[in-house]
Amino acid sequence: MLNTYDILETIRMIQDQCLDIRTITMGISLLDCIDPDIDRSCEKIYEKVTRLAQNLVKVGNDIETEYGIPIINKRISVTPIAILAAAAKGDPVKFARTLQRCAETCGVNFIGGYSALVQKGYSAGDEALIRSIPEALAVTENVCSSVNIGSTKTGINLDAVRLMGKIVKEAAERTADRECIGAAKLVVFCNAPEDNPFMAGAFHGVGEPDCMINVGVSGPGVVRAALAKYPDADITKISDIIKKTAFKITRMGQLVGTVASERLGVPFGIVDLSLAPTPAVGDSVAHILEEIGLERCGTHGTTAALALLNDAVKKGGVMASSKVGGLSGAFIPVTEDAGMIEAARCGSLLIEKLEAMTAVCSVGLDMIVVPGNTPADTIAAIIADEAAIGMVNHKTTAVRLIPAIGKKEGEELEFGGLLGSGPVMKVNANSSSKFIARGGQIPAPLQSLKN
Amino acid sequence: MRAVVTVIGKDTVGILAKVSSICAEYNANIIEVTQSVLQELFCMIMLVDISNLSVEYAKLSSSLDELGKQMDISVHAMHEDLFNSMHRI
Protein backbone atom coordinates (compact mmCIF):
# COMPACT_ATOMS: atom_id res chain seq x y z
CA MET A 1 0.00 0.00 0.00
CA LEU A 2 0.96 3.60 -0.34
CA ASN A 3 3.11 5.06 2.34
CA THR A 4 1.19 7.10 4.94
CA TYR A 5 3.81 9.82 4.92
CA ASP A 6 3.55 10.22 1.14
CA ILE A 7 -0.22 10.43 1.25
CA LEU A 8 -0.19 13.06 3.97
CA GLU A 9 2.49 15.01 2.15
CA THR A 10 0.33 15.20 -0.98
CA ILE A 11 -2.71 16.27 0.99
CA ARG A 12 -0.75 18.98 2.80
CA MET A 13 0.58 20.24 -0.52
CA ILE A 14 -2.92 20.67 -1.88
CA GLN A 15 -4.66 21.93 1.24
CA ASP A 16 -2.08 24.12 2.88
CA GLN A 17 0.44 24.98 0.20
CA CYS A 18 -1.76 25.99 -2.73
CA LEU A 19 -0.62 23.17 -5.02
CA ASP A 20 -2.74 23.13 -8.13
CA ILE A 21 -2.82 22.59 -11.84
CA ARG A 22 -2.74 26.15 -13.08
CA THR A 23 -4.21 25.50 -16.48
CA ILE A 24 -5.35 22.91 -18.96
CA THR A 25 -5.13 24.63 -22.31
CA MET A 26 -6.56 23.17 -25.48
CA GLY A 27 -4.63 24.28 -28.56
CA ILE A 28 -6.77 24.38 -31.70
CA SER A 29 -5.52 24.98 -35.22
CA LEU A 30 -7.66 27.35 -37.26
CA LEU A 31 -5.79 26.83 -40.53
CA ASP A 32 -8.83 25.08 -42.01
CA CYS A 33 -10.99 28.08 -41.06
CA ILE A 34 -9.20 30.41 -43.46
CA ASP A 35 -11.65 31.98 -45.88
CA PRO A 36 -11.57 35.07 -48.11
CA ASP A 37 -14.93 36.05 -46.62
CA ILE A 38 -14.31 37.22 -43.06
CA ASP A 39 -17.82 36.38 -41.85
CA ARG A 40 -17.58 32.90 -43.28
CA SER A 41 -14.17 32.51 -41.62
CA CYS A 42 -15.64 33.59 -38.27
CA GLU A 43 -18.45 31.05 -38.60
CA LYS A 44 -15.95 28.29 -39.26
CA ILE A 45 -13.90 29.34 -36.21
CA TYR A 46 -16.93 29.34 -33.95
CA GLU A 47 -18.05 25.94 -35.21
CA LYS A 48 -14.62 24.34 -34.85
CA VAL A 49 -13.66 25.77 -31.47
CA THR A 50 -17.01 25.09 -29.81
CA ARG A 51 -17.08 21.57 -31.24
CA LEU A 52 -13.59 20.59 -30.07
CA ALA A 53 -13.69 22.39 -26.72
CA GLN A 54 -17.30 21.75 -25.74
CA ASN A 55 -16.30 19.27 -23.03
CA LEU A 56 -13.08 20.95 -21.94
CA VAL A 57 -14.48 22.61 -18.83
CA LYS A 58 -16.58 19.60 -17.86
CA VAL A 59 -13.65 17.19 -18.18
CA GLY A 60 -11.46 19.59 -16.19
CA ASN A 61 -14.05 19.75 -13.42
CA ASP A 62 -14.52 15.97 -13.42
CA ILE A 63 -10.79 15.37 -13.03
CA GLU A 64 -10.69 17.95 -10.28
CA THR A 65 -13.38 16.09 -8.31
CA GLU A 66 -12.06 12.63 -8.97
CA TYR A 67 -8.41 13.24 -8.26
CA GLY A 68 -8.98 15.89 -5.62
CA ILE A 69 -6.56 18.28 -7.25
CA PRO A 70 -7.70 21.84 -8.07
CA ILE A 71 -7.53 22.78 -11.74
CA ILE A 72 -7.72 26.55 -11.69
CA ASN A 73 -8.11 27.47 -15.34
CA LYS A 74 -9.42 25.86 -18.48
CA ARG A 75 -8.34 27.75 -21.55
CA ILE A 76 -8.09 27.67 -25.31
CA SER A 77 -5.30 28.80 -27.61
CA VAL A 78 -5.70 29.17 -31.36
CA THR A 79 -3.62 29.73 -34.48
CA PRO A 80 -2.34 33.33 -34.66
CA ILE A 81 -5.31 35.22 -36.06
CA ALA A 82 -3.06 37.35 -38.30
CA ILE A 83 -2.75 34.28 -40.55
CA LEU A 84 -6.51 34.19 -41.01
CA ALA A 85 -6.67 37.97 -41.32
CA ALA A 86 -4.18 37.77 -44.18
CA ALA A 87 -6.71 35.92 -46.34
CA ALA A 88 -9.87 37.67 -45.22
CA LYS A 89 -10.55 41.26 -46.06
CA GLY A 90 -12.33 43.26 -43.39
CA ASP A 91 -12.05 44.43 -39.81
CA PRO A 92 -9.94 41.92 -37.81
CA VAL A 93 -11.86 42.84 -34.64
CA LYS A 94 -14.60 40.56 -35.98
CA PHE A 95 -12.25 37.67 -35.22
CA ALA A 96 -11.81 38.91 -31.66
CA ARG A 97 -15.57 39.09 -31.15
CA THR A 98 -15.88 35.55 -32.52
CA LEU A 99 -13.21 34.29 -30.12
CA GLN A 100 -15.08 36.00 -27.28
CA ARG A 101 -18.27 34.15 -28.25
CA CYS A 102 -16.30 30.89 -28.33
CA ALA A 103 -14.94 31.57 -24.82
CA GLU A 104 -18.43 32.28 -23.49
CA THR A 105 -19.96 29.18 -25.10
CA CYS A 106 -17.19 26.88 -23.86
CA GLY A 107 -17.00 28.51 -20.43
CA VAL A 108 -13.24 29.05 -20.53
CA ASN A 109 -11.75 32.05 -18.78
CA PHE A 110 -9.28 33.02 -21.49
CA ILE A 111 -8.81 32.35 -25.18
CA GLY A 112 -5.42 33.29 -26.61
CA GLY A 113 -4.22 33.73 -30.13
CA TYR A 114 -5.21 37.21 -31.28
CA SER A 115 -1.62 37.24 -32.35
CA ALA A 116 0.89 38.06 -35.06
CA LEU A 117 4.42 36.79 -35.66
CA VAL A 118 6.43 39.63 -37.15
CA GLN A 119 10.00 38.97 -36.02
CA LYS A 120 11.35 39.57 -39.51
CA GLY A 121 8.71 41.88 -40.94
CA TYR A 122 5.01 42.24 -41.65
CA SER A 123 3.20 39.97 -44.06
CA ALA A 124 -0.35 40.60 -45.28
CA GLY A 125 -2.71 40.99 -42.36
CA ASP A 126 -0.05 41.41 -39.66
CA GLU A 127 0.01 45.18 -39.39
CA ALA A 128 -3.76 45.54 -39.61
CA LEU A 129 -4.18 42.97 -36.87
CA ILE A 130 -1.61 44.63 -34.61
CA ARG A 131 -3.24 48.02 -35.07
CA SER A 132 -6.61 46.51 -34.13
CA ILE A 133 -5.33 44.98 -30.86
CA PRO A 134 -6.33 47.89 -28.55
CA GLU A 135 -9.89 47.86 -29.85
CA ALA A 136 -10.07 44.04 -29.83
CA LEU A 137 -8.97 43.93 -26.18
CA ALA A 138 -11.33 46.75 -25.21
CA VAL A 139 -14.47 45.21 -26.74
CA THR A 140 -13.80 41.68 -25.49
CA GLU A 141 -13.25 40.35 -22.02
CA ASN A 142 -11.60 36.94 -22.35
CA VAL A 143 -9.50 37.33 -25.48
CA CYS A 144 -5.71 37.54 -25.11
CA SER A 145 -3.25 38.89 -27.60
CA SER A 146 0.44 38.46 -28.27
CA VAL A 147 2.95 39.66 -30.83
CA ASN A 148 6.35 38.11 -31.51
CA ILE A 149 8.77 40.86 -32.49
CA GLY A 150 12.10 39.07 -32.38
CA SER A 151 13.94 35.78 -32.27
CA THR A 152 17.49 34.47 -32.02
CA LYS A 153 17.26 33.31 -35.61
CA THR A 154 15.95 36.57 -37.08
CA GLY A 155 17.02 39.37 -34.79
CA ILE A 156 14.60 42.06 -33.63
CA ASN A 157 12.12 43.90 -35.81
CA LEU A 158 12.57 47.40 -34.46
CA ASP A 159 9.71 48.78 -36.57
CA ALA A 160 7.37 46.35 -34.86
CA VAL A 161 8.90 47.19 -31.47
CA ARG A 162 8.16 50.85 -32.08
CA LEU A 163 4.60 50.08 -33.09
CA MET A 164 4.08 47.83 -30.06
CA GLY A 165 5.13 50.67 -27.74
CA LYS A 166 2.17 52.64 -29.08
CA ILE A 167 -0.18 49.66 -29.08
CA VAL A 168 0.55 48.80 -25.43
CA LYS A 169 -0.18 52.37 -24.43
CA GLU A 170 -3.31 52.57 -26.54
CA ALA A 171 -4.57 49.24 -25.13
CA ALA A 172 -4.27 50.75 -21.65
CA GLU A 173 -5.89 54.04 -22.68
CA ARG A 174 -8.90 52.35 -24.22
CA THR A 175 -9.54 50.46 -21.00
CA ALA A 176 -8.56 53.27 -18.60
CA ASP A 177 -11.98 52.99 -16.91
CA ARG A 178 -11.30 49.30 -16.17
CA GLU A 179 -7.88 49.56 -14.50
CA CYS A 180 -6.20 49.57 -17.95
CA ILE A 181 -6.93 45.84 -18.19
CA GLY A 182 -6.39 45.83 -21.98
CA ALA A 183 -2.63 46.02 -21.54
CA ALA A 184 -2.71 43.11 -19.07
CA LYS A 185 -4.05 40.88 -21.85
CA LEU A 186 -1.27 41.75 -24.29
CA VAL A 187 2.21 40.19 -24.40
CA VAL A 188 5.13 41.18 -26.61
CA PHE A 189 7.47 38.22 -27.17
CA CYS A 190 10.94 37.41 -28.37
CA ASN A 191 11.34 33.68 -29.21
CA ALA A 192 7.67 32.95 -28.51
CA PRO A 193 7.00 29.24 -27.87
CA GLU A 194 4.27 27.66 -30.00
CA ASP A 195 2.88 25.35 -27.33
CA ASN A 196 2.70 27.64 -24.31
CA PRO A 197 -0.40 26.95 -22.19
CA PHE A 198 -0.10 30.12 -20.09
CA MET A 199 -1.96 33.34 -20.78
CA ALA A 200 -1.82 36.01 -21.96
CA GLY A 201 0.82 34.71 -24.37
CA ALA A 202 -0.69 31.40 -25.44
CA PHE A 203 -1.22 30.73 -29.13
CA HIS A 204 -1.30 27.54 -31.17
CA GLY A 205 1.71 27.51 -33.50
CA VAL A 206 1.44 26.48 -37.12
CA GLY A 207 3.76 23.53 -36.55
CA GLU A 208 1.41 22.04 -33.97
CA PRO A 209 -1.15 19.29 -34.68
CA ASP A 210 -4.79 20.09 -35.31
CA CYS A 211 -5.78 19.94 -31.66
CA MET A 212 -3.93 19.12 -28.45
CA ILE A 213 -3.90 19.46 -24.70
CA ASN A 214 -1.12 21.31 -22.89
CA VAL A 215 -0.87 21.57 -19.13
CA GLY A 216 0.73 24.20 -16.92
CA VAL A 217 1.51 23.29 -13.32
CA SER A 218 2.08 25.51 -10.35
CA GLY A 219 3.30 25.22 -6.79
CA PRO A 220 5.54 27.98 -5.39
CA GLY A 221 3.96 27.40 -1.97
CA VAL A 222 5.04 23.75 -2.00
CA VAL A 223 8.63 24.64 -2.83
CA ARG A 224 8.75 27.24 -0.12
CA ALA A 225 7.31 24.88 2.48
CA ALA A 226 9.84 22.22 1.50
CA LEU A 227 12.71 24.70 1.89
CA ALA A 228 11.40 25.96 5.22
CA LYS A 229 12.13 22.54 6.73
CA TYR A 230 15.85 23.00 6.05
CA PRO A 231 16.79 26.44 7.37
CA ASP A 232 20.50 25.61 7.60
CA ALA A 233 21.03 23.56 4.44
CA ASP A 234 23.76 24.66 2.07
CA ILE A 235 22.82 25.87 -1.40
CA THR A 236 23.51 22.52 -3.11
CA LYS A 237 21.08 20.85 -0.75
CA ILE A 238 18.55 23.66 -1.46
CA SER A 239 18.82 22.88 -5.17
CA ASP A 240 18.21 19.19 -4.47
CA ILE A 241 15.12 19.90 -2.39
CA ILE A 242 13.67 22.10 -5.14
CA LYS A 243 14.40 19.39 -7.72
CA LYS A 244 12.58 16.73 -5.72
CA THR A 245 9.61 18.98 -5.12
CA ALA A 246 9.43 20.03 -8.77
CA PHE A 247 9.47 16.37 -9.74
CA LYS A 248 6.38 15.67 -7.66
CA ILE A 249 4.53 18.73 -8.88
CA THR A 250 5.26 17.89 -12.49
CA ARG A 251 4.21 14.26 -12.13
CA MET A 252 0.83 15.53 -11.13
CA GLY A 253 0.69 17.73 -14.24
CA GLN A 254 1.69 14.79 -16.40
CA LEU A 255 -1.06 12.64 -14.87
CA VAL A 256 -3.76 15.28 -15.30
CA GLY A 257 -2.66 16.00 -18.87
CA THR A 258 -2.71 12.32 -19.79
CA VAL A 259 -6.15 11.76 -18.27
CA ALA A 260 -7.58 14.94 -19.85
CA SER A 261 -6.25 14.01 -23.26
CA GLU A 262 -7.75 10.51 -23.03
CA ARG A 263 -11.14 11.79 -21.99
CA LEU A 264 -11.25 14.52 -24.60
CA GLY A 265 -9.91 12.26 -27.33
CA VAL A 266 -7.21 14.78 -28.13
CA PRO A 267 -3.43 14.12 -28.16
CA PHE A 268 -1.42 15.20 -25.14
CA GLY A 269 1.04 17.93 -25.97
CA ILE A 270 3.34 19.10 -23.23
CA VAL A 271 3.66 19.89 -19.56
CA ASP A 272 4.94 23.39 -18.93
CA LEU A 273 7.33 23.03 -15.97
CA SER A 274 6.49 26.24 -14.27
CA LEU A 275 6.34 27.85 -10.91
CA ALA A 276 3.45 30.21 -11.46
CA PRO A 277 2.55 32.42 -8.49
CA THR A 278 -0.82 33.91 -7.58
CA PRO A 279 -1.55 36.86 -5.33
CA ALA A 280 -2.81 34.40 -2.67
CA VAL A 281 -0.82 34.18 0.54
CA GLY A 282 1.61 31.26 0.36
CA ASP A 283 1.75 31.09 -3.43
CA SER A 284 4.64 33.42 -4.14
CA VAL A 285 7.90 32.94 -6.05
CA ALA A 286 9.38 35.98 -4.28
CA HIS A 287 8.81 34.25 -0.95
CA ILE A 288 10.85 31.25 -2.14
CA LEU A 289 13.74 33.60 -2.86
CA GLU A 290 13.30 35.11 0.58
CA GLU A 291 13.20 31.63 2.11
CA ILE A 292 16.53 30.91 0.40
CA GLY A 293 17.95 33.80 2.38
CA LEU A 294 17.16 37.23 1.00
CA GLU A 295 15.65 39.80 3.32
CA ARG A 296 13.49 41.08 0.49
CA CYS A 297 13.11 40.06 -3.13
CA GLY A 298 15.00 42.46 -5.38
CA THR A 299 18.04 42.88 -3.17
CA HIS A 300 21.54 41.78 -4.21
CA GLY A 301 21.62 38.02 -4.61
CA THR A 302 18.14 37.82 -6.10
CA THR A 303 19.37 37.01 -9.60
CA ALA A 304 21.62 34.21 -8.36
CA ALA A 305 18.91 32.71 -6.15
CA LEU A 306 16.43 32.87 -9.01
CA ALA A 307 18.88 31.24 -11.42
CA LEU A 308 19.29 28.34 -9.00
CA LEU A 309 15.53 28.05 -8.49
CA ASN A 310 14.78 28.12 -12.21
CA ASP A 311 17.42 25.53 -13.01
CA ALA A 312 16.38 23.17 -10.22
CA VAL A 313 12.71 23.38 -11.26
CA LYS A 314 13.65 22.27 -14.77
CA LYS A 315 15.98 19.52 -13.63
CA GLY A 316 13.35 18.07 -11.32
CA GLY A 317 10.52 18.50 -13.78
CA VAL A 318 12.15 17.17 -16.88
CA MET A 319 12.35 13.60 -15.62
CA ALA A 320 8.78 13.69 -14.37
CA SER A 321 7.24 14.37 -17.75
CA SER A 322 7.52 12.58 -21.05
CA LYS A 323 7.11 15.81 -23.01
CA VAL A 324 8.16 19.19 -21.76
CA GLY A 325 7.55 22.48 -23.49
CA GLY A 326 5.99 25.91 -23.28
CA LEU A 327 7.78 28.44 -21.14
CA SER A 328 9.02 26.04 -18.44
CA GLY A 329 10.61 28.03 -15.65
CA ALA A 330 9.84 30.26 -12.71
CA PHE A 331 7.49 33.14 -13.47
CA ILE A 332 7.96 36.57 -11.96
CA PRO A 333 4.78 38.51 -12.72
CA VAL A 334 4.91 41.41 -10.30
CA THR A 335 1.20 42.07 -9.69
CA GLU A 336 0.40 38.36 -9.45
CA ASP A 337 2.85 37.56 -6.68
CA ALA A 338 2.24 38.70 -3.10
CA GLY A 339 5.98 38.83 -2.34
CA MET A 340 6.82 40.80 -5.49
CA ILE A 341 4.03 43.29 -4.76
CA GLU A 342 5.44 43.90 -1.27
CA ALA A 343 8.97 44.19 -2.62
CA ALA A 344 7.90 46.67 -5.30
CA ARG A 345 5.88 48.71 -2.80
CA CYS A 346 8.79 49.10 -0.43
CA GLY A 347 11.22 50.00 -3.22
CA SER A 348 13.36 46.87 -2.99
CA LEU A 349 12.33 45.59 -6.41
CA LEU A 350 12.99 47.89 -9.37
CA ILE A 351 12.42 47.45 -13.10
CA GLU A 352 16.18 47.30 -13.72
CA LYS A 353 16.52 44.39 -11.29
CA LEU A 354 13.53 42.64 -12.81
CA GLU A 355 15.20 42.94 -16.20
CA ALA A 356 18.32 41.24 -14.86
CA MET A 357 16.18 38.52 -13.30
CA THR A 358 14.53 37.77 -16.64
CA ALA A 359 17.91 36.76 -18.04
CA VAL A 360 17.93 33.71 -15.76
CA CYS A 361 14.28 32.70 -15.52
CA SER A 362 11.28 32.02 -17.64
CA VAL A 363 9.36 34.78 -19.44
CA GLY A 364 10.25 38.39 -18.80
CA LEU A 365 8.99 41.73 -17.57
CA ASP A 366 5.57 40.49 -16.63
CA MET A 367 2.63 42.39 -15.17
CA ILE A 368 4.57 45.52 -14.34
CA VAL A 369 2.61 48.72 -13.79
CA VAL A 370 4.33 51.84 -15.12
CA PRO A 371 3.27 55.51 -14.94
CA GLY A 372 0.47 56.45 -17.34
CA ASN A 373 2.53 59.24 -18.86
CA THR A 374 5.40 56.92 -19.87
CA PRO A 375 6.10 57.78 -23.54
CA ALA A 376 5.29 55.07 -26.10
CA ASP A 377 8.93 55.16 -27.24
CA THR A 378 10.11 54.37 -23.71
CA ILE A 379 7.76 51.38 -23.58
CA ALA A 380 9.14 50.33 -26.97
CA ALA A 381 12.70 50.68 -25.64
CA ILE A 382 11.84 48.49 -22.63
CA ILE A 383 10.49 45.90 -25.09
CA ALA A 384 13.68 46.17 -27.16
CA ASP A 385 15.89 45.63 -24.09
CA GLU A 386 13.94 42.60 -23.02
CA ALA A 387 13.88 41.15 -26.55
CA ALA A 388 17.65 41.59 -26.74
CA ILE A 389 18.09 39.45 -23.62
CA GLY A 390 15.96 36.74 -25.20
CA MET A 391 17.64 36.98 -28.59
CA VAL A 392 21.18 36.70 -27.27
CA ASN A 393 20.45 34.02 -24.69
CA HIS A 394 18.35 31.72 -26.88
CA LYS A 395 15.41 32.04 -24.56
CA THR A 396 11.87 33.29 -24.51
CA THR A 397 11.43 36.76 -23.12
CA ALA A 398 8.24 38.73 -22.98
CA VAL A 399 6.98 42.11 -21.92
CA ARG A 400 3.59 42.74 -20.37
CA LEU A 401 3.58 46.32 -19.12
CA ILE A 402 0.49 48.12 -17.93
CA PRO A 403 0.68 51.89 -18.29
CA ALA A 404 -1.61 53.12 -15.48
CA ILE A 405 -3.41 55.91 -17.27
CA GLY A 406 -3.83 58.98 -15.07
CA LYS A 407 -1.66 57.53 -12.32
CA LYS A 408 1.89 58.18 -11.27
CA GLU A 409 4.60 56.47 -9.28
CA GLY A 410 3.41 55.27 -5.88
CA GLU A 411 -0.25 54.89 -6.83
CA GLU A 412 -1.70 51.42 -7.48
CA LEU A 413 -3.78 49.46 -9.95
CA GLU A 414 -6.14 46.78 -8.65
CA PHE A 415 -7.13 44.09 -11.17
CA GLY A 416 -8.48 41.54 -8.71
CA GLY A 417 -8.48 37.78 -9.19
CA LEU A 418 -5.39 36.04 -10.51
CA LEU A 419 -4.06 39.25 -12.06
CA GLY A 420 -3.71 40.82 -8.61
CA SER A 421 -2.68 44.39 -7.96
CA GLY A 422 0.49 46.41 -7.97
CA PRO A 423 2.16 49.74 -7.44
CA VAL A 424 3.16 51.99 -10.32
CA MET A 425 6.92 51.46 -10.71
CA LYS A 426 9.55 54.01 -11.60
CA VAL A 427 10.74 54.19 -15.18
CA ASN A 428 13.93 55.93 -16.34
CA ALA A 429 12.83 59.38 -17.54
CA ASN A 430 15.57 59.87 -20.15
CA SER A 431 14.38 59.58 -23.72
CA SER A 432 15.01 56.58 -25.97
CA SER A 433 13.08 58.11 -28.89
CA LYS A 434 15.91 58.56 -31.33
CA PHE A 435 17.01 54.95 -30.98
CA ILE A 436 13.48 53.63 -31.44
CA ALA A 437 12.72 56.00 -34.34
CA ARG A 438 15.61 54.60 -36.38
CA GLY A 439 13.49 51.56 -37.20
CA GLY A 440 14.77 48.64 -39.27
CA GLN A 441 15.93 45.23 -38.09
CA ILE A 442 18.47 44.47 -35.38
CA PRO A 443 20.41 41.71 -37.18
CA ALA A 444 20.40 38.18 -35.81
CA PRO A 445 23.29 37.66 -33.40
CA LEU A 446 26.23 35.37 -34.04
CA GLN A 447 24.60 32.87 -31.66
CA SER A 448 22.01 32.14 -34.38
CA LEU A 449 24.59 30.71 -36.78
CA LYS A 450 24.67 27.19 -35.47
CA ASN A 451 24.36 25.22 -38.69
CA MET B 1 -10.50 2.06 -9.97
CA ARG B 2 -9.41 2.72 -6.42
CA ALA B 3 -9.54 5.80 -4.26
CA VAL B 4 -7.64 6.81 -1.16
CA VAL B 5 -9.81 8.16 1.63
CA THR B 6 -7.97 10.12 4.29
CA VAL B 7 -9.39 11.18 7.61
CA ILE B 8 -7.42 13.56 9.79
CA GLY B 9 -8.61 15.35 12.90
CA LYS B 10 -9.26 15.23 16.58
CA ASP B 11 -9.99 11.70 17.77
CA THR B 12 -13.67 11.20 18.59
CA VAL B 13 -15.93 8.19 18.99
CA GLY B 14 -17.30 6.64 15.81
CA ILE B 15 -15.13 8.19 13.08
CA LEU B 16 -14.29 4.85 11.48
CA ALA B 17 -17.91 3.68 11.73
CA LYS B 18 -19.31 6.78 10.07
CA VAL B 19 -16.81 6.78 7.21
CA SER B 20 -17.27 3.09 6.55
CA SER B 21 -21.04 3.35 6.64
CA ILE B 22 -20.93 5.98 3.88
CA CYS B 23 -18.66 3.66 1.88
CA ALA B 24 -21.08 0.78 2.43
CA GLU B 25 -24.09 2.90 1.51
CA TYR B 26 -22.60 3.64 -1.91
CA ASN B 27 -21.12 0.19 -2.42
CA ALA B 28 -17.49 1.24 -2.10
CA ASN B 29 -15.46 -1.76 -0.98
CA ILE B 30 -12.85 -1.02 1.67
CA ILE B 31 -9.67 -2.91 0.80
CA GLU B 32 -7.19 -1.71 3.36
CA VAL B 33 -7.17 0.52 6.41
CA THR B 34 -4.28 1.96 8.35
CA GLN B 35 -4.86 4.22 11.27
CA SER B 36 -2.89 5.81 14.00
CA VAL B 37 -3.54 8.19 16.84
CA LEU B 38 -0.63 10.50 17.46
CA GLN B 39 -1.19 12.38 20.68
CA GLU B 40 -4.80 13.47 20.12
CA LEU B 41 -4.65 13.56 16.34
CA PHE B 42 -6.49 10.80 14.57
CA CYS B 43 -5.17 9.82 11.15
CA MET B 44 -6.76 7.12 9.04
CA ILE B 45 -6.03 6.12 5.47
CA MET B 46 -8.35 3.78 3.60
CA LEU B 47 -7.86 2.23 0.22
CA VAL B 48 -11.30 1.83 -1.33
CA ASP B 49 -12.40 0.01 -4.47
CA ILE B 50 -14.87 2.24 -6.26
CA SER B 51 -15.35 0.33 -9.49
CA ASN B 52 -18.87 -0.81 -8.51
CA LEU B 53 -20.15 2.37 -6.92
CA SER B 54 -23.93 2.67 -6.77
CA VAL B 55 -23.72 6.45 -7.30
CA GLU B 56 -21.52 8.92 -9.16
CA TYR B 57 -18.06 9.23 -7.65
CA ALA B 58 -18.71 12.94 -7.05
CA LYS B 59 -21.58 11.98 -4.71
CA LEU B 60 -19.30 9.78 -2.57
CA SER B 61 -16.70 12.50 -2.48
CA SER B 62 -19.17 15.22 -1.48
CA SER B 63 -20.80 13.00 1.19
CA LEU B 64 -17.39 12.41 2.76
CA ASP B 65 -16.64 16.14 2.65
CA GLU B 66 -19.97 16.80 4.30
CA LEU B 67 -19.25 14.25 7.04
CA GLY B 68 -15.90 15.93 7.64
CA LYS B 69 -17.60 19.28 8.13
CA GLN B 70 -20.19 17.83 10.53
CA MET B 71 -17.54 16.15 12.67
CA ASP B 72 -15.04 18.97 12.34
CA ILE B 73 -12.39 16.70 10.87
CA SER B 74 -10.81 16.62 7.45
CA VAL B 75 -12.09 13.84 5.18
CA HIS B 76 -10.98 13.52 1.57
CA ALA B 77 -11.30 11.01 -1.20
CA MET B 78 -8.77 11.15 -4.01
CA HIS B 79 -7.91 8.88 -6.90
CA GLU B 80 -5.13 6.43 -6.08
CA ASP B 81 -3.24 7.27 -9.29
CA LEU B 82 -2.47 10.75 -8.01
CA PHE B 83 -0.36 9.35 -5.18
CA ASN B 84 1.18 6.66 -7.33
CA SER B 85 2.30 9.13 -9.95
CA MET B 86 3.66 11.58 -7.42
CA HIS B 87 5.57 9.18 -5.23
CA ARG B 88 6.58 6.27 -7.47
CA ILE B 89 8.95 6.43 -10.39
Side-chain angles (χ1 to χ4, degrees), chain A residues 92-335:
Chain A
V93 175
K94 281 189 177 173
F95 288 114
R97 291 187 193 272
T98 305
L99 294 178
Q100 176 65 27
R101 277 203 300 140
C102 294
E104 284 165 14
T105 306
C106 299
V108 296
N109 71 341
F110 277 126
I111 182 162
Y114 198 76
S115 307
L117 311 177
V118 297
Q119 56 269 34
K120 214 169 179 179
Y122 302 123
S123 59
D126 286 339
E127 195 173 343
L129 182 115
I130 292 176
R131 290 191 186 276
S132 76
I133 288 173
E135 185 187 349
L137 296 179
V139 299
T140 60
E141 210 164 294
N142 309 100
V143 175
C144 290
S145 176
S146 54
V147 176
N148 193 57
I149 50 81
S151 76
T152 305
K153 265 295 190 208
T154 63
I156 297 168
N157 178 350
L158 203 58
D159 293 318
V161 170
R162 184 185 191 191
L163 178 57
M164 285 316 296
K166 294 192 183 112
I167 296 294
V168 166
K169 196 152 180 199
E170 207 187 313
E173 280 163 359
R174 294 196 61 140
T175 49
D177 56 334
R178 282 173 281 157
E179 300 288 293
C180 310
I181 190 78
K185 297 184 286 178
L186 170 60
V187 182
V188 188
F189 272 117
C190 176
N191 290 324
E194 302 208 327
D195 52 5
N196 161 27
F198 284 101
M199 295 294 170
F203 65 87
H204 188 73
V206 288
E208 299 284 304
D210 194 53
C211 183
M212 70 188 337
I213 288 291
N214 297 321
V215 171
V217 294
S218 175
V222 180
V223 173
R224 189 198 184 189
L227 293 182
K229 287 186 210 146
Y230 300 90
D232 301 316
D234 79 356
I235 204 73
T236 315
K237 172 89 178 157
I238 292 289
S239 169
D240 270 344
I241 298 165
I242 298 171
K243 272 190 333 203
K244 285 178 189 158
T245 314
F247 176 83
K248 291 176 186 167
I249 296 171
T250 311
R251 289 285 279 191
M252 199 186 62
Q254 170 80 16
L255 172 72
V256 168
T258 313
V259 175
S261 95
E262 272 170 26
R263 293 193 186 176
L264 289 161
V266 167
F268 178 39
I270 54 98
V271 178
D272 192 318
L273 310 176
S274 292
L275 280 185
T278 67
V281 175
D283 208 14
S284 157
V285 169
H287 287 157
I288 300 177
L289 303 176
E290 290 168 11
E291 190 68 52
I292 292 176
L294 304 168
E295 183 182 354
R296 187 70 86 173
C297 178
T299 187
H300 303 290
T302 302
T303 312
L306 183 60
L308 168 120
L309 170 67
N310 197 48
D311 180 64
V313 165
K314 287 184 215 173
K315 284 175 178 162
V318 82
M319 189 179 154
S321 170
S322 47
K323 283 188 272 182
V324 173
L327 296 164
S328 284
F331 290 176
I332 50 169
V334 176
T335 69

Side-chain angles (χ1 to χ4, degrees), chain A residues 1-2 4 6-11 13-15 19 65-69 247-248 251-252 255 319, chain B residues 1 4 6 8 32 43 45 47 57-58 74 76 78-89:
Chain A
M1 186 171 169
L2 284 155
T4 310
D6 291 343
I7 290 176
L8 294 181
E9 182 188 43
T10 302
I11 289 176
M13 282 181 180
I14 294 169
Q15 284 180 359
L19 176 62
T65 316
E66 226 166 273
Y67 287 82
I69 172 84
F247 176 83
K248 291 176 186 167
R251 289 285 279 191
M252 199 186 62
L255 172 72
M319 189 179 154
Chain B
M1 171 175 153
V4 174
T6 53
I8 305 163
E32 227 178 298
C43 171
I45 295 169
L47 190 61
Y57 173 78
S74 143
H76 287 277
M78 291 156 90
H79 197 297
E80 181 195 24
D81 284 354
L82 182 71
F83 302 98
N84 284 333
S85 70
M86 248 185 164
H87 300 286
R88 301 262 167 86
I89 294 179

